[in-house]
Amino acid sequence: MSQTAAIEQRQRTTLGEERIIEAARRLFMAHGFSAVTGDKLCSEARVSKSTLYKYFGDMTGVLTAVVINEAEIFDLSIDTSPATDAELWESLQGFGTRLLRLLNNPFAMQLDRIVHEEARTQSGLAKAFYDNAYGKSHVDITALIAHGQTKGFIKRTEPAEDLADHLISMWESLKYVRARLGLIKKPFPAPEAWAKQCLETLFNK
């Protein structure tokens, strides 16, 4: 099943689909994608294999649907056109704080791990996750920084897209890499302070 077909199917959710997606979510989070067979999923969801194939085609289709569904938790609201300098920095710091709190969530981290593990063989899945999660954050932060440059609130002249890339990378840092590898449990013990520190470092605020 193509990624586009999986997305279109999610818009026509039936009870059987919901049961499969919810069961898959539980199993994937507990055991990882590769450990879950079609038989195990169908047993957990209490559906037949024909139902699974009808809606998702195969296990890759199921994983794609789960990833697209759960990537919504990465949709962090942000005001991309604040009226004042103070509101701009408040908006940036608030976004950074919410992002780091989200990345502290074990569920978000496990979803991230699953996508990274499957990305080499399922490029469409990786793109779907990126577009619905990190990619959207990058677009929003780029728009906010561009607005700040236009208003004169941000003095740095590099492209807003590059500055957004730098900022998000600073926020996540090696702390999140260590957490993804299982070396630490909670990457950001003080999300608000770290979000502010990164802003101050990048923009000399």
Side-chain angles (χ1 to χ4, degrees), residues 36-167:
V36 180
T37 64
D39 287 334
K40 188 172 185 178
L41 175 56
C42 289
S43 176
E44 179 78 9
R46 303 187 309 281
V47 299
S48 66
K49 270 194 170 181
S50 62
T51 299
L52 186 150
Y53 296 142
K54 173 184 176 182
Y55 291 124
F56 301 101
D58 55 23
M59 289 297 289
T60 298
V62 176
L63 178 58
T64 300
V66 170
V67 166
I68 291 171
N69 187 68
E70 299 300 336
E72 293 176 0
I73 67 173
F74 287 84
D75 187 6
L76 306 171
S77 61
I78 185 172
D79 178 7
T80 59
S81 56
T84 68
D85 179 85
E87 289 174 352
L88 171 82
W89 298 109
E90 182 180 344
S91 186
L92 277 170
Q93 183 172 337
F95 183 92
T97 300
R98 292 192 297 278
L99 174 63
L100 298 178
R101 285 175 177 161
L102 173 63
L103 296 180
N104 273 338
N105 186 319
F107 170 74
M109 193 175 303
Q110 178 65 355
L111 181 63
D112 189 274
R113 285 194 189 107
I114 289 172
V115 173
H116 274 78
E117 288 168 1
E118 301 303 320
R120 272 191 297 178
T121 57
Q122 300 183 47
S123 59
L125 172 68
K127 186 178 187 306
F129 178 70
Y130 180 83
D131 288 346
N132 286 275
Y134 295 107
K136 187 177 186 311
S137 294
H138 188 252
V139 168
D140 290 342
I141 292 296
T142 297
L144 179 54
I145 290 175
H147 172 77
Q149 289 174 319
T150 299
K151 291 289 188 179
F153 303 149
I154 293 177
K155 305 304 181 185
R156 295 193 63 160
T157 59
E158 297 95 324
E161 184 176 1
D162 291 348
L163 289 172
D165 205 338
H166 292 320
L167 182 57

